[in-house]
Amino acid sequence: MAKSDIHPEWYPEAKVYCDGEVVMTVGSTKPELHVDIWSGNHPFYTGTQKIIDTEGRVERFLRKYGMSAESK
């Protein structure tokens, strides 16, 4: 049994807004939540993530500090 007057008000149908549109409803202690990123527009979840060429970075590091791949 919960004590009275110590718990925040619970909103079981709180709306989550992203870019001014309701994207989902969740349970929260606030009636509205405003977010910048959610799974519907994040590159990792939408499949639009860019692959970075790390091999070029490693080669550049080795050249910069005088290490070569042949000396290993």
Side-chain angles (χ1 to χ4, degrees), residues 11-28:
Y11 299 94
E13 296 293 322
K15 293 178 174 39
V16 179
Y17 291 91
C18 183
D19 295 330
E21 297 180 20
V22 176
V23 293
M24 68 178 81
T25 57
V26 295
S28 177

Side-chain angles (χ1 to χ4, degrees), residues 60-71:
R60 190 174 21 204
F61 175 84
L62 294 175
R63 279 194 313 266
K64 181 177 181 180
Y65 292 103
M67 298 177 248
S68 65
E70 295 86 23
S71 65

